[in-house]
C-alpha cells in the first residue's frame, strides 16, 4: 500500500506520519528530511538545494524526483511507502505514477490535510524539530514530552530556518501556486481523502486512519 500525505507546510504531515506508519507498517519517506540530511552533510545535492530551501521555493523537479527515486529503491521499503512532502508539483506526481507503475504498484490513497493559512502561520512559528530524529513538536500545542525513539531528552530541538516568519509567507505562496493543484488532480482519480486538519492530534489521526481503512479496505 502506498499513501501520500498532502498539505501545506505545517498542516501536520510529519506529526501524523508517525501514527500512519505505525498503523499500516509503511516506511515514512519525507523529501524535506532527505534534503535536510543532504544539507547537514554538505553533499552536492544539499548544496544545490540550500538556496531554494532558504527562499521557501521548491527544489527543481528533476533533482527532487531523482532523489526520491533513489530512496524508493532502498531495501527497507517492504510493506509500502508513506510519502510526506512529495509530490509537490504535477510533474512530480506524474513521475511518481511512472516510478510506481514500473514496480507494478500505484498510489492507493492521498491524505489531504486541510488547514487554513492563518492557522498554518501560528503553527509554524512555534514548531520545533528534533535535529537527530526529525520528530516535530510545538512550543504550545505539542510540547516535548518524550523522545519517540527513546534516545534523548529534548536537547536537540531547534527551530528550522525556513519556519522563521520571513520565509513562511513564501512557502505558503509556493504551496498555493504549485502544490495545491494536486488536490484536484488526485480528487479526479478518486483517491483523495479530504481530512479537516484542525482538532487534537489524536482526533485528526483517528479521522485519517478511518478514511484510509475505508478507501483501501485494510
Ligand atoms: P518540508 O520539510 O517538506 O517543508 O520541505 C522543506 C523544503 O525542502 C521545501 O521548502 C523545499 O525547498 C524542499 N522540498 C521538500 N520537498 C520537496 C519537493 N517534493 N519538491 C521540491 N522541493 C521540495
Amino acid at each position: 500500500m502506498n499513501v501520500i500525505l498532502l498539505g501545506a507546510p505545517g498542516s501536520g504531515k510529519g506529526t501524523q506520519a508517525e501514527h500512519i506508519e505505525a498503523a499500516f507498517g509503511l516506511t515514512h519517506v519525507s523529501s524535506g528530511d532527505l534534503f535536510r540530511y543532504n544539507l547537514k552533510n554538505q553533499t552536492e545535492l544539499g548544496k544545490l538545494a540550500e538556496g531554494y530551501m532558504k527562499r521557501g521555493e521548491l527544489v527543481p523537479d528533476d533533482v527532487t524526483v531523482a532523489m526520491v527515486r533513489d530512496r524508493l529503491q532502498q531495501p527497507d521499503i517492504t510493506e509500502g511507502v508513506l510519502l510526506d512532502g512529495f509530490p509537490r508539483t504535477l510533474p512530480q506526481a506524474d513521475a511518481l505514477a511512472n516510478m510506481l507503475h514500473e514496480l507494478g504498484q500505484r498510489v492507493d490513497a492521498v491524505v489531504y490535510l486541510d488547514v487554513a493559512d492563518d492557522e498554518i502561520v501560528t503553527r509554524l512559528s512555534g514548531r520545533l524539530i528534533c535535529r537527530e530524529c526529525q520528530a516535530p513538536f510545538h512550543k504550545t500545542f505539542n510540547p516535548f514530552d518524550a523522545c519517540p525513539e527513546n534516545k534523548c531528552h529534548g536537547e536537540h530541538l531547534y527551530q528550522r530556518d525556513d519556519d522563521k516568519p520571513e520565509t513562511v509567507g513564501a512557502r505558503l505562496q509556493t504551496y498555493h501556486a504549485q502544490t495545491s493543484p494536486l488536490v484536484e488532480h488526485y480528487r479526479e482519480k478518486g483517491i483523495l481523502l479530504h481530512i479537516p486538519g484542525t482538532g487534537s492530534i489524536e482526533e485528526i489521526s483517528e479521522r485519517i486512519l478511518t478514511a484510509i481503512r475505508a478507501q483501501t479496505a485494510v
Side-chain angles (χ1 to χ4, degrees):
M1 181 165 93
N2 299 300
V3 177
I4 294 173
L5 270 167
L6 180 63
S11 57
K13 301 191 294 296
T15 303
Q16 293 300 334
E18 291 170 21
H19 298 257
I20 304 171
E21 52 172 336
F24 299 109
L26 305 177
T27 305
H28 180 203
V29 171
S30 154
S31 46
D33 286 352
L34 291 174
F35 280 127
R36 277 184 291 281
Y37 174 84
N38 279 280
L39 194 58
K40 189 172 149 196
N41 292 291
Q42 282 295 296
T43 65
E44 286 306 312
L45 177 62
K47 286 180 202 162
L48 192 153
E50 186 167 17
Y52 296 99
M53 295 172 78
K54 278 202 170 133
R55 291 190 297 273
E57 296 168 7
L58 295 185
V59 180
D61 284 340
D62 54 342
V63 177
T64 306
V65 167
M67 177 183 74
V68 173
R69 181 189 295 276
D70 185 57
R71 179 67 188 90
L72 293 187
Q73 285 165 353
Q74 302 304 313
D76 61 320
I77 300 180
T78 50
E79 299 297 315
V81 71
L82 176 62
L83 285 162
D84 163 4
F86 181 91
R88 256 173 156 105
T89 64
L90 287 167
Q92 289 181 15
D94 289 340
L96 174 66
N98 291 335
M99 273 184 239
L100 292 175
H101 184 72
E102 282 165 22
L103 300 167
Q105 296 182 38
R106 59 184 177 158
V107 177
D108 296 282
V110 178
V111 173
Y112 165 44
L113 284 171
D114 188 2
V115 179
D117 281 6
D118 51 353
E119 169 78 12
I120 293 281
V121 173
T122 312
R123 288 190 190 182
L124 290 183
S125 64
R127 178 159 78 171
L128 296 172
I129 309 281
C130 175
R131 208 180 279 284
E132 297 300 311
C133 77
Q134 314 302 327
F137 299 91
H138 189 281
K139 286 177 191 163
T140 318
F141 309 131
N142 182 23
F144 181 89
D145 174 22
C147 168
E149 303 200 351
N150 261 323
K151 285 188 183 158
C152 74
H153 300 95
E155 63 272 31
H156 305 298
L157 297 184
Y158 78 111
Q159 183 181 41
R160 278 170 46 175
D161 276 348
D162 60 353
D163 280 350
K164 293 181 179 152
E166 50 281 21
T167 317
V168 167
R171 289 169 69 205
L172 272 173
Q173 263 184 10
T174 301
Y175 171 75
H176 287 298
Q178 292 177 266
T179 307
S180 65
L182 292 179
V183 172
E184 222 26 66
H185 174 79
Y186 286 119
R187 200 194 311 272
E188 280 168 12
K189 294 194 178 302
I191 52 174
L192 189 85
L193 308 176
H194 185 165
I195 309 288
T198 42
S200 73
I201 293 173
E202 292 71 25
E203 276 163 7
I204 298 166
S205 177
E206 201 44 52
R207 279 175 212 152
I208 294 174
L209 298 187
T210 306
I212 293 179
R213 288 194 183 106
Q215 171 78 19
T216 61
V218 173

